[in-house]
Amino acid sequence: MMNEDIIKLQYPIGKFEKSESITSEQIQFWINEIEELPAKLQKVISELNENQLDTPYRPGGWTVRQVVHHLADSHVNSFCRFRLALTESTPAIKPYFEDRWAELIDARTAPVELSINLLTALHARWVILLRSLTSAEFSKTFYHPEHEKEFRLDVNIGIYAWHGKHHLAHIQSLTHQNQ
């Protein structure tokens, strides 16, 4: 497989691109995407059998099961980061090794419904929080020591809306390959 093909499989919707100016309409669009992700994920996953759940979405990639559990792990961490940024002054967050988390036994073997249920509840709560924020709160930041920079909450909403669509596209690409 050519390098170009691998990149397309790795980033089926492209990489996240931050716009220079983030409008309140853009933020609301991203919040809606975060809200809709669990239902979209549930729909796509419901069409897969156990063998497909344990199939990597690309050569060298995680299985669909690992991707679903990764979404829950990642979004739980992001939710906590938002809460820290809203209650502390530019807190330093704790990075984690997502690749190592994806190799833990629960990420490799647990039923995907566990993480879909977690995402459903988490996103419902996250959306309540996000819809309540003022423009001043959207500008709050946390410090990411791995990247050695601050991240604004409004940008992070976009990153996580993209993140959900990014991994949903991974799963959808596998379902299209099997048709």
Side-chain angles (χ1 to χ4, degrees), residues 13 15-18 22 26-27 29-38 70-82 93-96 98 119 122-123 126-127 130 142 144 146-147 151-168:
I13 63 168
K15 293 184 178 184
F16 176 73
E17 293 183 24
K18 179 179 99 58
I22 298 174
Q26 180 66 68
I27 290 170
F29 180 79
W30 287 334
I31 292 171
N32 290 342
E33 288 185 323
I34 289 170
E35 181 177 40
E36 295 165 2
L37 176 67
H70 161 72
L71 278 166
D73 293 341
S74 176
H75 290 207
V76 163
N77 273 284
S78 183
F79 179 69
C80 291
R81 291 169 182 178
F82 269 76
I93 55 92
K94 169 101 175 72
Y96 68 102
E98 60 187 39
L119 282 166
L122 175 68
H123 281 223
W126 199 2
V127 166
L130 294 175
F142 59 81
H144 198 303
E146 186 178 348
H147 297 289
F151 284 84
R152 284 175 52 111
L153 292 186
D154 54 2
V155 173
N156 222 40
I157 293 169
I159 290 170
Y160 277 86
W162 170 87
H163 187 252
K165 289 190 316 187
H166 166 72
H167 285 304
L168 187 63

Short mmCIF file of all heavy atoms in Angstrom, two decimals, residues 13 15-18 22 26-27 29-38 70-82 93-96 98 119 122-123 126-127 130 142 144 146-147 151-168:
data_model
loop_
_atom_site.label_atom_id
_atom_site.label_comp_id
_atom_site.label_asym_id
_atom_site.label_seq_id
_atom_site.Cartn_x
_atom_site.Cartn_y
_atom_site.Cartn_z
N ILE A 13 -10.85 12.03 7.16
CA ILE A 13 -11.51 13.33 7.01
C ILE A 13 -10.49 14.46 7.05
O ILE A 13 -10.85 15.63 7.15
CB ILE A 13 -12.61 13.56 8.09
CG1 ILE A 13 -12.01 13.60 9.50
CG2 ILE A 13 -13.71 12.51 7.97
CD1 ILE A 13 -12.98 14.09 10.57
N LYS A 15 -6.79 16.19 8.72
CA LYS A 15 -6.38 16.59 10.07
C LYS A 15 -7.21 17.79 10.51
O LYS A 15 -7.72 18.54 9.69
CB LYS A 15 -4.90 16.93 10.10
CG LYS A 15 -4.01 15.71 9.85
CD LYS A 15 -2.55 16.06 9.98
CE LYS A 15 -1.70 14.82 9.77
NZ LYS A 15 -0.28 15.07 9.98
N PHE A 16 -7.31 17.98 11.82
CA PHE A 16 -8.05 19.13 12.35
C PHE A 16 -7.33 20.41 11.95
O PHE A 16 -6.12 20.52 12.08
CB PHE A 16 -8.15 19.06 13.88
CG PHE A 16 -8.80 20.27 14.49
CD1 PHE A 16 -10.17 20.47 14.38
CD2 PHE A 16 -8.06 21.23 15.16
CE1 PHE A 16 -10.78 21.59 14.93
CE2 PHE A 16 -8.65 22.36 15.71
CZ PHE A 16 -10.02 22.53 15.60
N GLU A 17 -8.10 21.36 11.46
CA GLU A 17 -7.55 22.67 11.09
C GLU A 17 -8.31 23.74 11.86
O GLU A 17 -9.52 23.87 11.74
CB GLU A 17 -7.69 22.90 9.59
CG GLU A 17 -6.83 21.95 8.77
CD GLU A 17 -6.91 22.22 7.28
OE1 GLU A 17 -7.23 23.35 6.87
OE2 GLU A 17 -6.65 21.27 6.52
N LYS A 18 -7.55 24.48 12.67
CA LYS A 18 -8.14 25.55 13.47
C LYS A 18 -8.28 26.81 12.62
O LYS A 18 -7.34 27.23 11.97
CB LYS A 18 -7.24 25.84 14.68
CG LYS A 18 -7.73 26.95 15.58
CD LYS A 18 -6.80 27.14 16.75
CE LYS A 18 -5.83 28.26 16.63
NZ LYS A 18 -6.30 29.59 16.42
N ILE A 22 -12.94 31.92 15.72
CA ILE A 22 -13.97 30.93 16.05
C ILE A 22 -15.22 31.69 16.48
O ILE A 22 -15.21 32.42 17.46
CB ILE A 22 -13.48 29.99 17.16
CG1 ILE A 22 -12.25 29.21 16.67
CG2 ILE A 22 -14.59 29.04 17.58
CD1 ILE A 22 -11.61 28.35 17.73
N GLN A 26 -19.91 28.58 15.08
CA GLN A 26 -19.00 27.45 14.90
C GLN A 26 -18.96 26.60 16.17
O GLN A 26 -19.00 25.37 16.10
CB GLN A 26 -17.59 27.93 14.56
CG GLN A 26 -16.58 26.81 14.36
CD GLN A 26 -16.89 25.95 13.16
OE1 GLN A 26 -16.79 26.40 12.04
NE2 GLN A 26 -17.29 24.71 13.40
N ILE A 27 -18.90 27.25 17.31
CA ILE A 27 -18.89 26.53 18.58
C ILE A 27 -20.17 25.71 18.74
O ILE A 27 -20.12 24.54 19.12
CB ILE A 27 -18.69 27.50 19.77
CG1 ILE A 27 -17.26 28.06 19.74
CG2 ILE A 27 -18.99 26.82 21.09
CD1 ILE A 27 -17.02 29.21 20.70
N PHE A 29 -22.08 24.56 16.40
CA PHE A 29 -22.02 23.47 15.43
C PHE A 29 -21.19 22.32 16.00
O PHE A 29 -21.59 21.16 15.95
CB PHE A 29 -21.43 23.97 14.10
CG PHE A 29 -21.32 22.91 13.06
CD1 PHE A 29 -22.42 22.52 12.33
CD2 PHE A 29 -20.09 22.30 12.80
CE1 PHE A 29 -22.33 21.53 11.36
CE2 PHE A 29 -19.98 21.31 11.83
CZ PHE A 29 -21.11 20.92 11.11
N TRP A 30 -20.03 22.65 16.58
CA TRP A 30 -19.17 21.61 17.17
C TRP A 30 -19.85 20.94 18.36
O TRP A 30 -19.75 19.72 18.52
CB TRP A 30 -17.84 22.22 17.62
CG TRP A 30 -16.91 22.57 16.50
CD1 TRP A 30 -16.85 22.02 15.25
CD2 TRP A 30 -15.88 23.56 16.54
NE1 TRP A 30 -15.84 22.60 14.52
CE2 TRP A 30 -15.23 23.55 15.29
CE3 TRP A 30 -15.44 24.45 17.51
CZ2 TRP A 30 -14.17 24.39 14.98
CZ3 TRP A 30 -14.38 25.30 17.22
CH2 TRP A 30 -13.75 25.27 15.95
N ILE A 31 -20.53 21.71 19.18
CA ILE A 31 -21.25 21.13 20.33
C ILE A 31 -22.31 20.15 19.83
O ILE A 31 -22.46 19.05 20.38
CB ILE A 31 -21.86 22.22 21.23
CG1 ILE A 31 -20.75 23.02 21.92
CG2 ILE A 31 -22.82 21.62 22.25
CD1 ILE A 31 -21.22 24.27 22.65
N ASN A 32 -23.02 20.51 18.78
CA ASN A 32 -24.02 19.60 18.20
C ASN A 32 -23.37 18.31 17.71
O ASN A 32 -23.93 17.23 17.87
CB ASN A 32 -24.78 20.28 17.06
CG ASN A 32 -25.70 21.38 17.55
OD1 ASN A 32 -26.04 21.46 18.73
ND2 ASN A 32 -26.08 22.27 16.65
N GLU A 33 -22.18 18.43 17.11
CA GLU A 33 -21.48 17.23 16.64
C GLU A 33 -21.07 16.34 17.81
O GLU A 33 -21.18 15.11 17.72
CB GLU A 33 -20.25 17.62 15.81
CG GLU A 33 -20.61 18.19 14.46
CD GLU A 33 -19.40 18.47 13.60
OE1 GLU A 33 -18.35 18.90 14.12
OE2 GLU A 33 -19.50 18.25 12.37
N ILE A 34 -20.62 16.95 18.89
CA ILE A 34 -20.28 16.18 20.10
C ILE A 34 -21.54 15.48 20.63
O ILE A 34 -21.50 14.31 21.00
CB ILE A 34 -19.62 17.10 21.15
CG1 ILE A 34 -18.21 17.48 20.69
CG2 ILE A 34 -19.59 16.43 22.53
CD1 ILE A 34 -17.54 18.57 21.50
N GLU A 35 -22.65 16.20 20.64
CA GLU A 35 -23.91 15.63 21.13
C GLU A 35 -24.36 14.44 20.29
O GLU A 35 -24.86 13.44 20.82
CB GLU A 35 -24.99 16.72 21.12
CG GLU A 35 -26.33 16.25 21.64
CD GLU A 35 -27.34 17.38 21.66
OE1 GLU A 35 -27.37 18.20 20.73
OE2 GLU A 35 -28.11 17.43 22.64
N GLU A 36 -24.17 14.52 18.98
CA GLU A 36 -24.67 13.49 18.07
C GLU A 36 -23.77 12.27 17.94
O GLU A 36 -24.20 11.22 17.46
CB GLU A 36 -24.87 14.10 16.67
CG GLU A 36 -25.94 15.17 16.64
CD GLU A 36 -25.89 16.03 15.39
OE1 GLU A 36 -25.04 15.79 14.50
OE2 GLU A 36 -26.70 16.97 15.30
N LEU A 37 -22.52 12.37 18.37
CA LEU A 37 -21.56 11.28 18.16
C LEU A 37 -22.02 9.94 18.74
O LEU A 37 -21.97 8.93 18.02
CB LEU A 37 -20.17 11.64 18.70
CG LEU A 37 -19.16 10.50 18.60
CD1 LEU A 37 -18.83 10.18 17.14
CD2 LEU A 37 -17.90 10.82 19.38
N PRO A 38 -22.45 9.85 20.00
CA PRO A 38 -22.79 8.52 20.52
C PRO A 38 -23.86 7.80 19.69
O PRO A 38 -23.74 6.59 19.44
CB PRO A 38 -23.28 8.81 21.95
CG PRO A 38 -22.57 10.07 22.32
CD PRO A 38 -22.53 10.88 21.03
N HIS A 70 -11.15 3.66 22.86
CA HIS A 70 -10.29 4.85 22.84
C HIS A 70 -11.13 6.13 22.86
O HIS A 70 -10.78 7.09 23.56
CB HIS A 70 -9.39 4.85 21.59
CG HIS A 70 -8.83 6.19 21.27
ND1 HIS A 70 -7.84 6.79 22.02
CD2 HIS A 70 -9.14 7.07 20.28
CE1 HIS A 70 -7.57 7.97 21.50
NE2 HIS A 70 -8.34 8.17 20.45
N LEU A 71 -12.21 6.16 22.11
CA LEU A 71 -13.08 7.35 22.12
C LEU A 71 -13.56 7.64 23.54
O LEU A 71 -13.52 8.79 23.98
CB LEU A 71 -14.27 7.15 21.18
CG LEU A 71 -14.01 7.42 19.71
CD1 LEU A 71 -15.14 6.86 18.85
CD2 LEU A 71 -13.82 8.91 19.46
N ALA A 72 -13.98 6.61 24.25
CA ALA A 72 -14.45 6.82 25.63
C ALA A 72 -13.30 7.31 26.51
O ALA A 72 -13.46 8.29 27.26
CB ALA A 72 -15.05 5.53 26.19
N ASP A 73 -12.13 6.66 26.41
CA ASP A 73 -10.97 7.08 27.22
C ASP A 73 -10.60 8.53 26.95
O ASP A 73 -10.41 9.33 27.86
CB ASP A 73 -9.75 6.20 26.90
CG ASP A 73 -9.89 4.76 27.34
OD1 ASP A 73 -10.75 4.46 28.20
OD2 ASP A 73 -9.12 3.93 26.82
N SER A 74 -10.51 8.86 25.68
CA SER A 74 -10.08 10.19 25.28
C SER A 74 -11.07 11.27 25.70
O SER A 74 -10.69 12.33 26.20
CB SER A 74 -9.87 10.22 23.76
OG SER A 74 -9.55 11.50 23.33
N HIS A 75 -12.34 11.00 25.50
CA HIS A 75 -13.36 12.01 25.78
C HIS A 75 -13.57 12.18 27.29
O HIS A 75 -13.87 13.29 27.73
CB HIS A 75 -14.64 11.70 25.02
CG HIS A 75 -14.46 11.92 23.55
ND1 HIS A 75 -15.50 12.25 22.71
CD2 HIS A 75 -13.36 11.86 22.75
CE1 HIS A 75 -15.04 12.38 21.47
NE2 HIS A 75 -13.74 12.14 21.49
N VAL A 76 -13.38 11.11 28.07
CA VAL A 76 -13.40 11.26 29.53
C VAL A 76 -12.27 12.19 29.96
O VAL A 76 -12.47 13.10 30.77
CB VAL A 76 -13.29 9.89 30.24
CG1 VAL A 76 -12.89 10.05 31.70
CG2 VAL A 76 -14.59 9.12 30.13
N ASN A 77 -11.09 11.97 29.41
CA ASN A 77 -9.95 12.83 29.73
C ASN A 77 -10.23 14.28 29.33
O ASN A 77 -9.93 15.20 30.08
CB ASN A 77 -8.67 12.32 29.05
CG ASN A 77 -7.97 11.29 29.89
OD1 ASN A 77 -7.31 11.60 30.86
ND2 ASN A 77 -8.11 10.03 29.49
N SER A 78 -10.80 14.48 28.16
CA SER A 78 -11.09 15.83 27.71
C SER A 78 -12.11 16.52 28.61
O SER A 78 -11.96 17.69 28.96
CB SER A 78 -11.58 15.83 26.26
OG SER A 78 -11.79 17.16 25.83
N PHE A 79 -13.16 15.80 28.98
CA PHE A 79 -14.18 16.34 29.88
C PHE A 79 -13.53 16.82 31.18
O PHE A 79 -13.82 17.93 31.66
CB PHE A 79 -15.25 15.27 30.14
CG PHE A 79 -16.35 15.70 31.07
CD1 PHE A 79 -17.28 16.66 30.68
CD2 PHE A 79 -16.48 15.12 32.32
CE1 PHE A 79 -18.32 17.03 31.54
CE2 PHE A 79 -17.50 15.49 33.18
CZ PHE A 79 -18.43 16.44 32.79
N CYS A 80 -12.63 16.01 31.73
CA CYS A 80 -11.92 16.40 32.96
C CYS A 80 -11.05 17.63 32.73
O CYS A 80 -10.99 18.52 33.58
CB CYS A 80 -11.08 15.24 33.48
SG CYS A 80 -12.08 13.87 34.11
N ARG A 81 -10.42 17.71 31.57
CA ARG A 81 -9.59 18.87 31.25
C ARG A 81 -10.42 20.14 31.18
O ARG A 81 -10.00 21.21 31.62
CB ARG A 81 -8.82 18.62 29.96
CG ARG A 81 -7.77 17.56 30.10
CD ARG A 81 -7.18 17.12 28.78
NE ARG A 81 -6.20 16.05 29.00
CZ ARG A 81 -5.55 15.44 28.04
NH1 ARG A 81 -5.74 15.78 26.78
NH2 ARG A 81 -4.68 14.48 28.33
N PHE A 82 -11.60 20.04 30.59
CA PHE A 82 -12.50 21.19 30.53
C PHE A 82 -12.86 21.66 31.94
O PHE A 82 -12.81 22.84 32.25
CB PHE A 82 -13.80 20.84 29.78
CG PHE A 82 -13.73 21.13 28.31
CD1 PHE A 82 -13.03 20.29 27.45
CD2 PHE A 82 -14.36 22.23 27.78
CE1 PHE A 82 -12.97 20.54 26.10
CE2 PHE A 82 -14.31 22.51 26.42
CZ PHE A 82 -13.61 21.66 25.59
N ILE A 93 -2.40 19.77 32.62
CA ILE A 93 -3.15 18.51 32.59
C ILE A 93 -2.16 17.35 32.59
O ILE A 93 -0.97 17.51 32.35
CB ILE A 93 -4.11 18.45 31.38
CG1 ILE A 93 -3.40 18.67 30.04
CG2 ILE A 93 -5.20 19.49 31.54
CD1 ILE A 93 -2.95 17.41 29.38
N LYS A 94 -2.67 16.17 32.84
CA LYS A 94 -1.86 14.96 32.84
C LYS A 94 -2.04 14.27 31.51
O LYS A 94 -3.11 13.78 31.19
CB LYS A 94 -2.33 14.04 33.97
CG LYS A 94 -1.76 12.65 33.92
CD LYS A 94 -0.64 12.48 34.88
CE LYS A 94 -0.11 11.07 34.96
NZ LYS A 94 0.64 10.61 33.83
N PRO A 95 -0.99 14.24 30.68
CA PRO A 95 -1.08 13.47 29.44
C PRO A 95 -1.13 11.97 29.77
O PRO A 95 -0.79 11.56 30.88
CB PRO A 95 0.21 13.81 28.70
CG PRO A 95 0.80 14.96 29.41
CD PRO A 95 0.28 14.93 30.81
N TYR A 96 -1.53 11.17 28.81
CA TYR A 96 -1.53 9.72 29.00
C TYR A 96 -1.11 9.07 27.70
O TYR A 96 -1.16 9.67 26.62
CB TYR A 96 -2.90 9.23 29.47
CG TYR A 96 -3.99 9.34 28.43
CD1 TYR A 96 -4.42 8.23 27.71
CD2 TYR A 96 -4.61 10.56 28.15
CE1 TYR A 96 -5.41 8.34 26.76
CE2 TYR A 96 -5.61 10.68 27.20
CZ TYR A 96 -6.01 9.56 26.51
OH TYR A 96 -6.99 9.66 25.56
N GLU A 98 -2.10 7.01 25.06
CA GLU A 98 -3.32 6.40 24.50
C GLU A 98 -3.03 5.08 23.81
O GLU A 98 -3.86 4.17 23.84
CB GLU A 98 -4.04 7.38 23.58
CG GLU A 98 -3.24 7.85 22.41
CD GLU A 98 -3.94 8.94 21.61
OE1 GLU A 98 -4.58 9.82 22.19
OE2 GLU A 98 -3.84 8.88 20.37
N LEU A 119 -20.01 6.91 26.63
CA LEU A 119 -20.00 8.10 25.77
C LEU A 119 -21.37 8.78 25.74
O LEU A 119 -21.45 10.01 25.73
CB LEU A 119 -19.58 7.73 24.34
CG LEU A 119 -18.08 7.53 24.13
CD1 LEU A 119 -17.82 6.84 22.80
CD2 LEU A 119 -17.35 8.86 24.19
N LEU A 122 -21.65 10.54 29.12
CA LEU A 122 -20.62 11.58 29.20
C LEU A 122 -20.94 12.75 28.27
O LEU A 122 -20.89 13.91 28.69
CB LEU A 122 -19.26 10.99 28.82
CG LEU A 122 -18.10 11.99 28.75
CD1 LEU A 122 -17.76 12.54 30.13
CD2 LEU A 122 -16.89 11.33 28.11
N HIS A 123 -21.30 12.47 27.03
CA HIS A 123 -21.59 13.54 26.08
C HIS A 123 -22.84 14.32 26.48
O HIS A 123 -22.89 15.54 26.27
CB HIS A 123 -21.70 12.99 24.66
CG HIS A 123 -20.37 12.75 24.03
ND1 HIS A 123 -20.09 13.08 22.73
CD2 HIS A 123 -19.22 12.23 24.53
CE1 HIS A 123 -18.83 12.78 22.45
NE2 HIS A 123 -18.28 12.24 23.54
N TRP A 126 -21.49 16.58 29.12
CA TRP A 126 -20.54 17.52 28.53
C TRP A 126 -21.29 18.61 27.77
O TRP A 126 -20.97 19.79 27.87
CB TRP A 126 -19.60 16.74 27.62
CG TRP A 126 -18.32 17.38 27.24
CD1 TRP A 126 -17.81 18.58 27.64
CD2 TRP A 126 -17.33 16.82 26.37
NE1 TRP A 126 -16.58 18.80 27.08
CE2 TRP A 126 -16.26 17.73 26.30
CE3 TRP A 126 -17.25 15.64 25.65
CZ2 TRP A 126 -15.12 17.50 25.52
CZ3 TRP A 126 -16.12 15.40 24.89
CH2 TRP A 126 -15.07 16.32 24.83
N VAL A 127 -22.30 18.23 27.02
CA VAL A 127 -23.07 19.19 26.23
C VAL A 127 -23.80 20.18 27.14
O VAL A 127 -23.86 21.37 26.85
CB VAL A 127 -24.03 18.46 25.26
CG1 VAL A 127 -25.08 19.39 24.69
CG2 VAL A 127 -23.23 17.80 24.13
N LEU A 130 -21.06 22.55 28.13
CA LEU A 130 -20.62 23.38 27.00
C LEU A 130 -21.64 24.44 26.63
O LEU A 130 -21.28 25.58 26.33
CB LEU A 130 -20.29 22.51 25.78
CG LEU A 130 -19.11 21.56 25.92
CD1 LEU A 130 -18.99 20.68 24.68
CD2 LEU A 130 -17.82 22.33 26.17
N PHE A 142 -5.96 25.37 29.34
CA PHE A 142 -5.19 24.43 30.16
C PHE A 142 -3.85 24.28 29.46
O PHE A 142 -3.71 24.55 28.26
CB PHE A 142 -5.89 23.08 30.35
CG PHE A 142 -6.21 22.33 29.08
CD1 PHE A 142 -5.24 21.57 28.42
CD2 PHE A 142 -7.49 22.37 28.55
CE1 PHE A 142 -5.54 20.87 27.26
CE2 PHE A 142 -7.80 21.68 27.37
CZ PHE A 142 -6.82 20.92 26.74
N HIS A 144 -0.82 21.88 28.24
CA HIS A 144 -0.52 20.50 27.89
C HIS A 144 1.00 20.33 27.88
O HIS A 144 1.67 20.81 26.97
CB HIS A 144 -1.10 20.17 26.51
CG HIS A 144 -1.22 18.71 26.24
ND1 HIS A 144 -0.16 17.84 26.29
CD2 HIS A 144 -2.30 17.95 25.94
CE1 HIS A 144 -0.57 16.62 26.01
NE2 HIS A 144 -1.88 16.66 25.80
N GLU A 146 3.02 17.86 27.27
CA GLU A 146 3.59 17.11 26.15
C GLU A 146 3.78 18.01 24.93
O GLU A 146 4.77 17.92 24.23
CB GLU A 146 2.68 15.93 25.82
CG GLU A 146 3.24 14.98 24.77
CD GLU A 146 2.29 13.82 24.52
OE1 GLU A 146 1.34 13.61 25.30
OE2 GLU A 146 2.51 13.11 23.53
N HIS A 147 2.81 18.87 24.68
CA HIS A 147 2.88 19.80 23.55
C HIS A 147 3.56 21.12 23.92
O HIS A 147 3.82 21.95 23.04
CB HIS A 147 1.47 20.08 23.00
CG HIS A 147 0.80 18.87 22.44
ND1 HIS A 147 1.19 18.26 21.28
CD2 HIS A 147 -0.24 18.14 22.93
CE1 HIS A 147 0.42 17.21 21.05
NE2 HIS A 147 -0.45 17.11 22.03
N PHE A 151 -3.94 25.34 25.57
CA PHE A 151 -5.05 25.08 24.67
C PHE A 151 -6.27 25.82 25.20
O PHE A 151 -6.63 25.67 26.37
CB PHE A 151 -5.36 23.59 24.58
CG PHE A 151 -4.40 22.81 23.74
CD1 PHE A 151 -3.20 22.35 24.29
CD2 PHE A 151 -4.66 22.54 22.41
CE1 PHE A 151 -2.31 21.63 23.52
CE2 PHE A 151 -3.77 21.83 21.63
CZ PHE A 151 -2.58 21.37 22.20
N ARG A 152 -6.91 26.58 24.32
CA ARG A 152 -8.16 27.26 24.67
C ARG A 152 -9.31 26.26 24.59
O ARG A 152 -9.30 25.36 23.75
CB ARG A 152 -8.42 28.41 23.71
CG ARG A 152 -7.56 29.65 23.95
CD ARG A 152 -7.80 30.69 22.87
NE ARG A 152 -9.21 30.99 22.67
CZ ARG A 152 -9.78 32.16 22.99
NH1 ARG A 152 -9.04 33.13 23.49
NH2 ARG A 152 -11.05 32.36 22.78
N LEU A 153 -10.32 26.46 25.43
CA LEU A 153 -11.47 25.56 25.43
C LEU A 153 -12.24 25.62 24.12
O LEU A 153 -12.71 24.60 23.63
CB LEU A 153 -12.38 25.84 26.62
CG LEU A 153 -11.79 25.51 27.99
CD1 LEU A 153 -12.83 25.69 29.08
CD2 LEU A 153 -11.19 24.12 28.04
N ASP A 154 -12.39 26.82 23.54
CA ASP A 154 -13.16 26.89 22.29
C ASP A 154 -12.48 26.08 21.19
O ASP A 154 -13.14 25.36 20.43
CB ASP A 154 -13.45 28.32 21.85
CG ASP A 154 -12.24 29.21 21.73
OD1 ASP A 154 -11.09 28.75 21.94
OD2 ASP A 154 -12.43 30.41 21.43
N VAL A 155 -11.17 26.13 21.12
CA VAL A 155 -10.44 25.33 20.12
C VAL A 155 -10.59 23.84 20.45
O VAL A 155 -10.78 23.01 19.56
CB VAL A 155 -8.94 25.73 20.08
CG1 VAL A 155 -8.15 24.79 19.19
CG2 VAL A 155 -8.79 27.17 19.63
N ASN A 156 -10.54 23.52 21.72
CA ASN A 156 -10.63 22.12 22.12
C ASN A 156 -11.99 21.51 21.81
O ASN A 156 -12.09 20.32 21.54
CB ASN A 156 -10.29 21.98 23.61
CG ASN A 156 -9.41 20.79 23.86
OD1 ASN A 156 -8.50 20.50 23.09
ND2 ASN A 156 -9.67 20.09 24.93
N ILE A 157 -13.04 22.33 21.82
CA ILE A 157 -14.35 21.83 21.39
C ILE A 157 -14.26 21.37 19.93
O ILE A 157 -14.73 20.29 19.58
CB ILE A 157 -15.45 22.91 21.55
CG1 ILE A 157 -15.66 23.22 23.03
CG2 ILE A 157 -16.77 22.45 20.92
CD1 ILE A 157 -16.51 24.45 23.27
N GLY A 158 -13.62 22.18 19.10
CA GLY A 158 -13.43 21.81 17.70
C GLY A 158 -12.60 20.55 17.54
O GLY A 158 -12.90 19.69 16.72
N ILE A 159 -11.55 20.45 18.34
CA ILE A 159 -10.68 19.27 18.27
C ILE A 159 -11.47 18.00 18.60
O ILE A 159 -11.36 16.99 17.91
CB ILE A 159 -9.47 19.42 19.23
CG1 ILE A 159 -8.52 20.50 18.70
CG2 ILE A 159 -8.75 18.08 19.43
CD1 ILE A 159 -7.42 20.91 19.68
N TYR A 160 -12.31 18.06 19.62
CA TYR A 160 -13.05 16.87 20.01
C TYR A 160 -14.25 16.58 19.12
O TYR A 160 -14.62 15.41 18.95
CB TYR A 160 -13.37 16.87 21.51
CG TYR A 160 -12.15 16.34 22.21
CD1 TYR A 160 -11.10 17.19 22.55
CD2 TYR A 160 -11.98 14.98 22.41
CE1 TYR A 160 -9.93 16.69 23.10
CE2 TYR A 160 -10.82 14.47 22.96
CZ TYR A 160 -9.80 15.33 23.29
OH TYR A 160 -8.64 14.83 23.81
N ALA A 161 -14.84 17.59 18.51
CA ALA A 161 -15.86 17.33 17.48
C ALA A 161 -15.19 16.62 16.31
O ALA A 161 -15.70 15.61 15.80
CB ALA A 161 -16.50 18.64 17.03
N TRP A 162 -14.00 17.12 15.91
CA TRP A 162 -13.24 16.47 14.83
C TRP A 162 -12.84 15.06 15.25
O TRP A 162 -12.95 14.12 14.45
CB TRP A 162 -11.98 17.30 14.50
CG TRP A 162 -11.04 16.57 13.59
CD1 TRP A 162 -11.09 16.57 12.22
CD2 TRP A 162 -9.95 15.73 13.95
NE1 TRP A 162 -10.08 15.77 11.72
CE2 TRP A 162 -9.38 15.24 12.78
CE3 TRP A 162 -9.41 15.33 15.18
CZ2 TRP A 162 -8.29 14.36 12.77
CZ3 TRP A 162 -8.33 14.45 15.18
CH2 TRP A 162 -7.78 14.00 13.98
N HIS A 163 -12.36 14.89 16.47
CA HIS A 163 -11.88 13.59 16.95
C HIS A 163 -12.97 12.53 16.83
O HIS A 163 -12.70 11.40 16.38
CB HIS A 163 -11.41 13.72 18.41
CG HIS A 163 -10.76 12.50 18.94
ND1 HIS A 163 -11.37 11.69 19.86
CD2 HIS A 163 -9.55 11.95 18.68
CE1 HIS A 163 -10.56 10.69 20.16
NE2 HIS A 163 -9.45 10.82 19.45
N GLY A 164 -14.18 12.86 17.23
CA GLY A 164 -15.27 11.91 17.10
C GLY A 164 -15.56 11.54 15.66
O GLY A 164 -15.71 10.36 15.31
N LYS A 165 -15.62 12.55 14.79
CA LYS A 165 -15.87 12.29 13.36
C LYS A 165 -14.73 11.50 12.73
O LYS A 165 -14.95 10.65 11.88
CB LYS A 165 -16.06 13.61 12.59
CG LYS A 165 -17.35 14.31 12.90
CD LYS A 165 -17.63 15.49 11.98
CE LYS A 165 -16.43 16.36 11.74
NZ LYS A 165 -16.72 17.57 10.99
N HIS A 166 -13.51 11.81 13.14
CA HIS A 166 -12.29 11.15 12.64
C HIS A 166 -12.37 9.64 12.90
O HIS A 166 -12.19 8.83 11.98
CB HIS A 166 -11.10 11.78 13.36
CG HIS A 166 -9.81 11.08 13.28
ND1 HIS A 166 -9.05 11.03 12.12
CD2 HIS A 166 -9.09 10.40 14.22
CE1 HIS A 166 -7.94 10.36 12.36
NE2 HIS A 166 -7.93 9.97 13.63
N HIS A 167 -12.68 9.25 14.13
CA HIS A 167 -12.73 7.82 14.45
C HIS A 167 -14.01 7.17 13.93
O HIS A 167 -13.98 5.99 13.56
CB HIS A 167 -12.55 7.60 15.95
CG HIS A 167 -11.13 7.80 16.38
ND1 HIS A 167 -10.08 7.10 15.83
CD2 HIS A 167 -10.59 8.62 17.31
CE1 HIS A 167 -8.95 7.48 16.40
NE2 HIS A 167 -9.23 8.40 17.30
N LEU A 168 -15.09 7.90 13.85
CA LEU A 168 -16.30 7.36 13.22
C LEU A 168 -16.01 7.03 11.76
O LEU A 168 -16.41 5.97 11.26
CB LEU A 168 -17.45 8.37 13.34
CG LEU A 168 -18.81 7.89 12.88
CD1 LEU A 168 -19.31 6.72 13.72
CD2 LEU A 168 -19.81 9.05 12.95
#
